[in-house]
């Protein structure tokens, strides 16, 4: 099922009922529903990561790690927040993991 979209001058927004249907299907392991669901949010998540990470290859790696974490964790998504907010929480943690790794790597070069 494709999410219904409607838009305004600022861009497109998606019908939350269709999004919830995609979430329910993805929770049951439907990869097509997951791909459609993530296509709704992919550009915003990519832009968020890209605004915080300088290296384009690292941006792609973090995006991939984020998508994998969302897929692995989707069964635990409980609708207490929006799906977008939940995805951004995961994205922020992946960015923090990246910087922790970079800082550890950087500090070991000095010892």
């Amino acid at each position: 099922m494709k999410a219904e979209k409607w838009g305004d001058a600022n861009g497109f927004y998606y019908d939350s009922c269709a999004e919830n249907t995609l979430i329910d299907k993805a929770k049951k392991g439907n990869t097509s529903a997951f791909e459609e669901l993530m296509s709704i949010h992919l550009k915003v998540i990519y832009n968020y990561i890209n605004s915080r990470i300088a290296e384009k290859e690292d941006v792609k790696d973090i995006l991939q790690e984020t998508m994998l974490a969302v897929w692995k964790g989707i069964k635990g998504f409980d609708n207490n927040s929006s799906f977008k907010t939940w995805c951004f929480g995961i994205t922020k943690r992946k960015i923090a993991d990246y910087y922790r790794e970079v800082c550890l790597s950087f500090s070991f070069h000095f010892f």
Side-chain angles (χ1 to χ4, degrees), residues 37-54:
L37 179 63
M38 291 312 298
S39 72
I40 297 169
H41 302 285
L42 190 62
K43 186 175 181 180
V44 175
I45 292 170
Y46 175 84
N47 288 339
Y48 181 79
I49 297 168
N50 193 44
S51 71
R52 284 153 177 78
I53 306 294

Side-chain angles (χ1 to χ4, degrees), residues 1-101:
M1 164 183 213
K2 293 254 184 207
E4 299 294 322
K5 55 183 172 177
W6 53 275
D8 67 4
N10 296 320
F12 285 99
Y13 301 96
Y14 284 81
D15 178 7
S16 63
C17 292
E19 183 178 75
N20 288 337
T21 301
L22 291 171
I23 291 167
D24 291 341
K25 288 181 178 183
K27 283 182 174 184
K28 294 175 184 172
N30 185 321
T31 56
S32 296
F34 180 75
E35 288 173 9
E36 178 69 22
L37 179 63
M38 291 312 298
S39 72
I40 297 169
H41 302 285
L42 190 62
K43 186 175 181 180
V44 175
I45 292 170
Y46 175 84
N47 288 339
Y48 181 79
I49 297 168
N50 193 44
S51 71
R52 284 153 177 78
I53 306 294
E55 295 294 324
K56 297 303 175 205
E57 287 302 314
D58 292 336
V59 171
K60 291 177 185 177
D61 289 344
I62 294 168
L63 181 62
Q64 185 174 11
E65 290 173 16
T66 300
M67 300 284 281
L68 183 60
V70 170
W71 173 250
K72 287 181 176 180
I74 197 162
K75 288 182 182 177
F77 176 66
D78 58 9
N79 293 0
N80 285 337
S81 63
S82 73
F83 185 75
K84 181 179 175 180
T85 299
W86 183 72
C87 286
F88 267 87
I90 292 171
T91 305
K92 289 175 185 178
R93 286 189 292 279
K94 292 300 174 185
I95 292 170
D97 292 346
Y98 167 81
Y99 279 115
R100 266 191 293 278
E101 186 178 311

